[in-house]
Amino acid sequence: MISIKLTKILPFLPVLLFFFSCASKPKDERIVSVSILPQQYFVEQIAGDYVKINVMVPPGMNPATSDLNTEQLKKLLDSDICFAVGYLPFETVHLYPVLEGKKKPVLIRHSDTLELIAGDCQHASAHVQHPQASVDPHVWMSPRYALMMSREIYEVLAETYPEKQAVFRANYERLEKRIKQLAQQAEQELAGKTQRTFLIYHPALTYFARDYGLEQISIEEEGKEPDPRHLKKIVDIVREKKIPLIFIQNQFDVNNANSVAAETGVQIIPIDPLSPDWMAEMENLIRILKEKLN
């Protein structure tokens, strides 16, 4: 499969778009594009198999470095809807330039309706200058925001495919109930913890930590590999606060997390914020925090 760097071929984009428009999709095919796998979960729960889902950051890829390939680009341009998170670097660098000025697919940016937190992971500002480039983009890791995203997905799907509105509504209400139960579970199981600090390599749990009164400390320093000074500071914090665990993600290098663990004895635990099974991943996260925080 050919991978294309859209930032390098923007001058030729009109030719590519014309080429793809000539190879039209089947008339009865309904395609919805999403940026990441957790969004696929929400769309699947609501729409079932009524739509085909084009995930633009595939399994194992990092939204900070992922690119569009030609097949994804064609599916994107054939889509009725594109659900973007908002400020992932993949979106700001590759997705938005392609969709600029186009009426279809309809672009929905979840972050536009959410109250965002300033972030130091520099997801967006590492690539582009944007008035809100320093926001933390990991909104889907908050059950409260996931519920709002799911509601938005339902409303847009129902408007786009009104013939299935009743089905979508019933499916959404089931998903809504499960997410509310998950949020209540997190509230109950984390409320009594006296130890409320955890370490993480890449700060993907900012909104989750805010929702449940936890403190997230990142090994990453402003979206970059930590230098020795920062690593020493992290080691000192772990010892001072008696932090029991480090979360790591498989999209990032774990060498520095291993160094901190070797120095302090803290336990390393993998999580996957980009899991295709959002509900199972969130349940796993809550279970780990319940077990490891005192």
Side-chain angles (χ1 to χ4, degrees), residues 155-195:
E155 290 175 347
V156 174
L157 287 172
E159 182 178 351
T160 306
Y161 311 113
E163 68 277 10
K164 286 292 183 178
Q165 181 175 4
V167 174
F168 294 164
R169 177 74 187 187
N171 291 343
Y172 165 71
E173 288 177 350
R174 281 192 291 270
L175 177 61
E176 177 188 39
K177 182 178 180 180
R178 292 188 66 196
I179 295 176
K180 286 182 175 179
Q181 289 172 340
L182 178 82
Q184 185 177 26
Q185 176 190 354
E187 187 73 39
Q188 292 172 348
E189 296 188 351
L190 301 177
K193 299 295 183 181
T194 54
Q195 167 58 275

Side-chain angles (χ1 to χ4, degrees), residues 13-33:
L13 195 55
V15 177
L16 279 174
L17 299 183
F18 175 77
F19 170 77
F20 289 134
S21 68
C22 294
S24 59
K25 66 175 180 177
K27 289 183 178 180
D28 60 346
E29 188 173 59
R30 296 167 293 273
I31 302 176
V32 171
S33 285

Side-chain angles (χ1 to χ4, degrees), residues 128-164:
V128 295
Q129 296 298 318
H130 192 285
Q132 292 181 316
S134 61
V135 299
D136 189 301
H138 306 95
V139 292
W140 68 93
M141 294 304 291
S142 158
R144 178 161 64 95
Y145 279 1
L147 185 60
M148 296 169 69
M149 292 168 65
S150 298
R151 175 75 188 191
E152 186 171 45
I153 289 170
Y154 155 67
E155 290 175 347
V156 174
L157 287 172
E159 182 178 351
T160 306
Y161 311 113
E163 68 277 10
K164 286 292 183 178

